[in-house]
Amino acid sequence: QVQLVESGGGLVQAGGSLRLSCAASGRTFSNYAMGWFRQAPGKEREFVAVVNWSGGTTYYADSVKGRFTISRDNAKNTVYLQMNSLKPEDTALYYCASADQMATLVSPWRWSDVGSWGQGTQVTVSA
């Protein structure tokens, strides 16, 4: 399995930006699709964004499309989430995860097949 450690969370005012990082170790990072997820208190975990093994294909939840950008650097074994124009409703614990296929990360009914989850990094957006 791949071990994942997120960083970059924090407190930011609405309209601000943050960049999250997810560092991977273990098996070959470039073999896996990578995704970002979030979970707010009292709510279910939701999909945010996914990138394929090469970084050439991405997909976003409608709620973040146009504001968030997922990218990866396979040389650094790291996936990023650039978050711009942040809103209070973006407040959540953000996780990264890896899987063999992008579809596994996008579809909640397939999350039991996700290879690895990180521990999460907190993002808080104040109004």
Side-chain angles (χ1 to χ4, degrees), residues 19-104:
R19 188 175 82 154
L20 306 183
S21 299
C22 171
S25 61
R27 292 192 172 185
T28 306
F29 176 72
S30 60
N31 286 349
Y32 298 96
M34 298 295 298
W36 284 97
F37 302 78
R38 66 187 182 186
Q39 187 167 17
K43 295 187 177 181
E44 294 185 349
R45 183 175 295 181
E46 69 171 322
F47 163 78
V48 174
V50 65
V51 61
N52 75 330
W53 67 273
S54 70
T57 302
T58 58
Y59 182 74
Y60 298 91
D62 287 344
S63 58
V64 306
K65 200 172 297 182
R67 300 187 298 123
F68 291 11
T69 302
I70 188 171
S71 62
R72 67 189 296 161
D73 185 337
N74 286 343
K76 295 183 178 180
N77 287 357
T78 302
V79 62
Y80 304 98
L81 186 69
Q82 178 67 44
M83 305 186 296
N84 298 329
S85 302
L86 282 161
K87 305 175 182 179
E89 51 263 44
D90 294 319
T91 295
L93 187 64
Y94 283 71
Y95 302 84
C96 63
S98 65
D100 291 339
Q101 300 178 1
M102 292 178 69
T104 301

